[in-house]
Amino acid sequence: MGNKPYITRACLIIEIVSYLILFITAVVCIFVMIHTDGPIPTHYDFHGNVDSYGPAASLLIVPCTMLFTNLIISLCLHLVKPEHWNTPFKIKPGHETIILHDMTLMMVVLELVLSLWALATTIDWGVGNGDMIFPLSMIMVVVTFVVIFGFTLLAAKHNKE
């Protein structure tokens, strides 16, 4: 794939799908905003009770924040030179392509996880009653940890081969 052989077609597809999911999330937000009269719940206490309300436009916070986050990841992936990427080990000569592919795949999978979380929480917040936001967020944190830890271990394994 051009001068960056570690960015595969699969990585690009995952990245595009992530942005499409964020677009769908924004469409859901706009749909809810159009069809909602009055304020919506914007905050829940520890027990799941609504303790704050705000305008339906508040729904845009989630997709906008995730869009910003995904853009930062994409900019790092496509514009920052790999020698400036931080890996927890020194990459052995001759292993660069596979290690950078592992790190690239980790970044685009994280984009996908964040996009899916944004869609799920937006649907729950805007269409449901918001009672799944906390569990969905905890799942996202665990999956994010597993993705980072798993791909780092995979890259370390590839670096030893």
Side-chain angles (χ1 to χ4, degrees), residues 133-154:
I133 291 175
F134 183 75
L136 288 168
S137 297
M138 291 302 99
I139 291 168
M140 185 265 301
V141 168
V142 169
V143 171
T144 298
F145 174 78
V146 169
V147 167
I148 292 170
F149 191 72
F151 278 105
T152 302
L153 287 177
L154 180 63

Side-chain angles (χ1 to χ4, degrees), residues 31-158:
F31 177 82
V32 171
M33 287 169 42
I34 291 171
H35 293 89
T36 300
D37 294 329
I40 63 167
T42 57
H43 193 268
Y44 301 85
D45 66 16
F46 186 73
H47 302 289
N49 302 311
V50 177
D51 61 7
S52 180
Y53 290 87
S58 302
L59 285 171
L60 289 171
I61 292 170
V62 172
C64 289
T65 302
M66 291 304 102
L67 176 62
F68 178 75
T69 303
N70 279 11
L71 285 172
I72 295 290
I73 294 171
S74 290
L75 288 172
C76 290
L77 176 61
H78 296 285
L79 299 179
V80 175
K81 293 179 181 179
E83 52 267 18
H84 299 296
W85 293 5
N86 188 14
T87 56
F89 49 82
K90 184 171 172 47
I91 300 174
K92 291 182 182 177
H95 293 85
E96 296 88 359
T97 300
I98 187 67
I99 302 303
L100 294 175
H101 176 262
D102 293 340
M103 295 295 101
T104 298
L105 195 52
M106 178 186 72
M107 286 190 268
V108 298
V109 169
L110 287 173
E111 287 180 330
L112 183 61
V113 168
L114 294 173
S115 298
L116 289 169
W117 174 82
L119 179 60
T121 57
T122 298
I123 290 170
D124 183 53
W125 187 14
V127 179
N129 58 8
D131 62 348
M132 290 301 297
I133 291 175
F134 183 75
L136 288 168
S137 297
M138 291 302 99
I139 291 168
M140 185 265 301
V141 168
V142 169
V143 171
T144 298
F145 174 78
V146 169
V147 167
I148 292 170
F149 191 72
F151 278 105
T152 302
L153 287 177
L154 180 63
K157 178 184 171 199
H158 286 149

Side-chain angles (χ1 to χ4, degrees), residues 9-35:
R9 179 168 280 120
C11 291
L12 292 174
I13 289 170
I14 293 169
E15 191 170 30
I16 290 167
V17 167
S18 298
Y19 283 100
L20 287 173
I21 292 169
L22 285 177
F23 176 77
I24 292 167
T25 305
V27 169
V28 169
C29 287
I30 292 167
F31 177 82
V32 171
M33 287 169 42
I34 291 171
H35 293 89

